[in-house]
Amino acid sequence: MLFTGKIYDTEMCAEMIRRSARIWRYLLVMFPPQFMVLSGVAKFYGVYFSLQALASTAPVQITLPSIAGAFSIVLFSLLMRVYDELKDAEADIRLGRAGDPRYKDRPIVTGAITIDELVFLRWATTGLLIVINAPLGGSALFGFAVLFLVTWLSFKWFFWPSISKDLLLAFLTHNPITLFFGGYIVAVYAGDFGIHGIDAWTLILMLAFWAPLGAWETSRKIRVPDDETEYQTYSQIFGWKLAPFVPIAFIILGTTCVILLSRQMGLNWIFPAIVIVASLVPVSRCIAFRISPSQKTARIQPFVELYAVTMDLGLLAAVLISRGIA
């Protein structure tokens, strides 16, 4: 019996190692840590420091709750990735096996990861989030609870099955969840510094936080007519002539908010100038698609991502240069 138990333990350890390796390979493809951790931390502190800069001219501060909040944003982003993977698994596998180029190489389609492993990753991420946020208490814990509830409801399609079959309805119900991410950051800030400084400018900051994601989401689902499949795209909904103007609208919104915020916070003019230049890159790409639609010009998403990174890192750097850290 003892020998049998040792074999059983060895097999369990080997299986855990294999599962961990498969999950790690999945993360490298679908949620690359070297990028997503940096992105999540930059997003958090870009908003967190901006709230301090809007309320005061004093140097910004890093607190222990803010460190917990920054890593929570990363974990929430991972949880949303896993939620999307689980709820779309059946459709993604069907599209991948039908040869859709966006899905045929996905880990869930190729079998590089299983549903059970994704469920394990979901619960592990959920457990980490609870452990990190439970000790915060106050407004930060309330913000966490609200954000967790909203993300969980999105996992259940808000108990409205029609959302899963309508791209526009899915956008209207899911994309604004980014504003709840921003609300969580505001809640952490309020727990550290109180509600002083939370006013109309906070709303403009939230819009600046949300707009790049709106541009990213709409830019990645634009195709030329010959490349359309059963997979819903914005070029199917709005037509290929109108579709590229949707991400342009989000880019204009985000850039305008940054210009207003920079002036209100007294930031150097260089930052909004850089954002304006960065915004022209995806805008010109959208216009190129409208003038000459092709598979090449339809690749708008990478240029929107460059714009989003410039927004996130630029705002963080501009506030730090302007205020410094206490």
Side-chain angles (χ1 to χ4, degrees):
M1 292 293 293
L2 179 62
F3 180 71
T4 303
K6 288 182 177 178
I7 293 177
Y8 180 71
D9 289 344
T10 301
E11 289 178 348
M12 280 189 62
C13 290
E15 177 59 28
M16 285 298 295
I17 292 172
R18 285 194 293 269
R19 170 178 281 188
S20 298
R22 286 163 64 87
I23 289 174
W24 177 248
R25 288 194 293 270
Y26 165 80
L27 292 176
L28 290 176
V29 175
M30 301 301 294
F31 194 85
Q34 69 276 17
F35 172 74
M36 298 307 297
V37 172
L38 175 62
S39 174
V41 172
K43 282 181 181 294
F44 179 91
Y45 279 111
V47 174
Y48 185 77
F49 288 158
S50 292
L51 288 167
Q52 295 182 49
L54 285 167
S56 170
T57 57
V60 297
Q61 301 176 43
I62 296 178
T63 65
L64 286 176
S66 76
I67 295 173
F71 281 101
S72 293
I73 289 295
V74 176
L75 290 172
F76 264 119
S77 299
L78 173 58
L79 188 60
M80 288 293 288
R81 172 68 267 163
V82 176
Y83 278 168
D84 285 347
E85 204 80 57
L86 287 171
K87 69 185 183 183
D88 295 335
E90 183 179 337
D92 291 355
I93 292 172
R94 185 181 70 253
L95 288 166
R97 289 176 178 172
D100 191 297
R102 292 186 65 92
Y103 290 90
K104 64 180 181 180
D105 296 323
R106 285 201 171 189
I108 192 66
V109 176
T110 62
I113 196 165
T114 66
I115 296 293
D116 287 344
E117 288 162 348
L118 286 170
V119 170
F120 173 82
L121 180 57
R122 172 201 170 187
W123 286 115
T125 306
T126 300
L128 277 174
L129 278 167
I130 293 173
V131 168
I132 290 172
N133 284 272
L136 298 181
S139 63
L141 182 58
F142 176 75
F144 164 76
V146 171
L147 179 55
F148 184 82
L149 175 62
V150 171
T151 54
W152 179 78
L153 286 172
S154 76
F155 177 50
K156 299 296 182 179
W157 293 109
F158 293 96
F159 296 98
W160 188 3
S162 299
I163 294 176
S164 63
K165 300 177 176 63
D166 190 317
L167 179 62
L168 194 57
L169 192 57
F171 177 86
L172 293 174
T173 53
H174 285 63
N175 198 261
I177 292 175
T178 304
L179 296 173
F180 286 90
F181 274 70
Y184 168 72
I185 302 172
V186 173
V188 174
Y189 166 84
D192 286 337
F193 302 101
I195 61 173
H196 172 64
I198 299 177
D199 53 20
W201 286 105
T202 304
L203 176 59
I204 295 176
L205 180 60
M206 293 300 97
L207 291 176
F209 179 75
W210 169 60
L213 185 63
W216 176 81
E217 171 62 24
T218 52
S219 69
R220 72 191 184 96
K221 296 178 181 178
I222 294 176
R223 296 181 177 181
V224 292
D226 290 344
D227 287 344
E228 298 285 10
T229 65
E230 64 172 295
Y231 176 68
Q232 277 195 313
T233 62
Y234 294 101
S235 44
Q236 286 180 348
I237 295 173
F238 299 113
W240 69 266
K241 293 181 179 180
L242 182 60
F245 292 101
V246 180
I248 287 177
F250 281 107
I251 291 169
I252 292 173
L253 173 63
T255 303
T256 302
C257 289
V258 160
I259 293 171
L260 295 173
L261 287 166
S262 297
R263 183 174 181 181
Q264 180 66 16
M265 289 187 284
L267 302 182
N268 191 293
W269 64 269
I270 294 176
F271 167 57
I274 291 174
V275 170
I276 291 171
V277 172
S279 70
L280 294 176
V281 178
V283 167
S284 63
R285 192 71 178 188
C286 290
I287 294 173
F289 175 83
R290 175 59 183 83
I291 295 173
S292 178
S294 67
Q295 287 185 343
K296 181 179 179 180
T297 55
R299 290 186 70 253
I300 302 169
Q301 178 186 338
F303 301 93
V304 174
E305 290 172 350
L306 177 63
Y307 165 73
V309 169
T310 303
M311 288 270 284
D312 292 339
L313 295 181
L315 180 59
L316 177 60
V319 173
L320 287 176
I321 291 171
S322 172
R323 297 292 196 271
I325 299 181

